Amino acid sequence: SEAIQEDAPGALRNLSAVDEARSVIVFEGGLPPLLALLRSKSLAVQEHSCVTLRHLTSGDTNRAKLVKENGVFPLIELLKSDSEEIREQAAGTIHNLAIDADIRSVIVQKQGLPPLIDLLQPSMPERTQEQAMGAIRNISVSPQHETEIVKAGGVTRIVTMLRSFSKVIQEHAAVALRNL
């Protein structure tokens, strides 16, 4: 039933907020079903799954496992969601993933930069801008991605983020520009 489909990822979302539970969720095979649920027709299921994945990728150990399960592309697709919350959570998960140098390349190869840069618009919620800008900041650390950021129109949008009211967004933007 639809209620059960929403309750299961909702329960995992709550559990994944606890550090000790994260490794258990992954060890017990939780990543493949969570990634499959990103394609659910239910926005609630997508959101619960995305938040859970964001929690799971907050530490070093699960990032490479998510990539190995082909989890980057579905997250990039969710950056284009009609739901503000899903866009924010997908950007936050990619922000976490982009901490890892090898995964930055996967994000760029899977065409993650254009939709991240699209989220750097004044019309986007500040929390979404913060996560997208953080992901771009992390990607900008790798010199081989500078050209892709520029080609995707990133410089203009990043400069715009310097005028944000959020000090965190301003810092992410300043560091990304310095890296370029």
Side-chain angles (χ1 to χ4, degrees):
S1 88
E2 203 170 300
I4 292 172
Q5 280 190 332
E6 285 186 26
D7 288 347
L12 282 175
R13 175 184 182 162
N14 293 337
L15 280 172
S16 70
V18 179
D19 278 341
E20 298 78 28
R22 293 181 191 143
S23 58
V24 175
I25 291 169
V26 174
F27 180 78
E28 294 297 334
L31 274 179
L34 283 166
L35 292 168
L37 290 172
L38 291 178
R39 292 183 170 95
S40 170
K41 292 191 184 338
S42 163
L43 293 179
V45 170
Q46 287 181 358
E47 181 184 329
H48 289 320
S49 301
C50 214
V51 172
T52 303
L53 292 168
R54 184 174 174 182
H55 289 161
L56 294 177
T57 58
S58 64
D60 295 340
T61 57
N62 296 325
R63 293 184 195 125
K65 293 173 184 165
L66 184 140
V67 173
K68 189 177 175 198
E69 295 290 341
N70 298 311
V72 174
F73 186 73
L75 289 164
I76 290 169
E77 287 297 301
L78 289 180
L79 294 173
K80 305 168 201 167
S81 172
D82 290 335
S83 163
E84 288 181 7
E85 185 65 25
I86 290 171
R87 285 192 308 260
E88 176 195 342
Q89 296 303 328
T93 306
I94 292 170
H95 182 181
N96 288 345
L97 292 170
I99 291 169
D100 184 299
D102 293 332
I103 300 173
R104 288 180 206 134
S105 295
V106 175
I107 295 165
V108 172
Q109 289 165 1
K110 302 272 183 195
Q111 301 301 309
L113 281 171
L116 283 168
I117 290 166
D118 283 346
L119 296 177
L120 304 181
Q121 297 181 50
S123 60
M124 287 292 162
E126 190 174 275
R127 293 184 337 233
T128 303
Q129 291 175 344
E130 181 179 323
Q131 295 306 321
M133 193 62 250
I136 293 165
R137 173 190 179 167
N138 287 345
I139 293 167
S140 75
V141 170
S142 297
Q144 69 268 32
H145 302 311
E146 293 173 7
T147 306
E148 286 97 338
I149 293 170
V150 173
K151 278 190 207 169
V155 175
T156 305
R157 292 278 173 86
I158 294 168
V159 168
T160 302
M161 292 295 106
L162 291 172
R163 294 190 288 272
S164 171
F165 293 114
S166 163
K167 296 292 183 203
V168 174
I169 293 172
Q170 290 175 3
E171 180 184 332
H172 286 330
V175 172
L177 287 171
R178 183 198 69 209
N179 290 339
L180 298 176

